[in-house]
Amino acid sequence: MLAGGADMAGKKVCGVGCLGVALVWAASVQAAWLEVKLAYDDFGHLENEGPKCVPTATVNSFFYLQKKYPTIYDQKLIPGGDMVKARNALFGYMNGDDVLGVRTFKDWWEGKVKWMEEKAPGLTIYDGMVNDDITGWTRGSVLEKGFPTFDFLWKELSDGEDVEFRIVLTGGGHALTLTSLKFDDLDGDKKWDWDPDPKKRESAKIDYLDPNKPTQLFETDLWKNADGSLGFLWDNTVNPAVNVYVNLAYSESPIPEPASLIVWSLLGAIGVTAGYWRRRRAA
């Protein structure tokens, strides 16, 4: 079941979930821990309404883009700054249903892309990983089929990408916004190692913004399941706590993406010109 789900403590879960992230360019080190983090305060904190967690999480990400890149997006993605109105309109772009929510991963993806290209045409790079058949999707060539990996999410955050992701639980799914990842780099290789041997296994944590309780940032332990998916205990203090896994992550950023903007700023500051351009999958 993609969308809908049981009404839990007044908050529905829905079939598609999102994750949005704020940026810290260099990973920080505390003891052996490495972290990449985007600022929670830079995101919107609009609360979910019924089965609208997907457009709610997406609009909270749009808020981040407008705040971080005002000369690019201004108020194009949230016209007039009205987040509720934008969320409800975006729900329609995603073929949302007032009972079932956003019913397919394709509707979520294509609705978001359509909205951004209508409101701010040609200004955005898109990326993502989704465990679904992406044949025939609009701009689907930029997507990778499969469960989102830790390395993918880490890279997106490191590059200043705004990420929405979906968690799967009994009865449906839910949309969240990613804000931070960190891990205990025991062997110093700057990669998270989930070893079958618990004695060699490196701990990891994920931080996220939940539209069911957007006034609080949540952090929890992260693990890898046997099928390769990432799992964690979803506990937002509103819905019943339950183990979930991630099966979708979509990201967006301005053109050129933030990593390239910083590289070129540094090159310009020292008077260097070069033919370097970090290529990335783009639609």
Side-chain angles (χ1 to χ4, degrees), residues 3-6 8 11-15 51 53 169-174 212 234 239:
M8 298 187 296
K11 297 290 185 181
K12 282 194 175 183
V13 297
C14 56
C53 64
L169 59 152
T170 302
H174 187 52
N212 281 0
W234 176 53
N239 303 108

Side-chain angles (χ1 to χ4, degrees), residues 37 54 95 118 132 149 202 253:
K37 183 176 184 180
V54 172
N95 296 317
E118 284 187 5
D132 198 16
T149 64
E202 295 179 342
S253 69

Side-chain angles (χ1 to χ4, degrees), residues 70 76 98 129 147 159 178 259 279 282:
K76 295 182 176 70
D98 287 336
M129 292 188 70
F147 292 117
D159 286 349
L178 183 65
R279 298 190 63 186

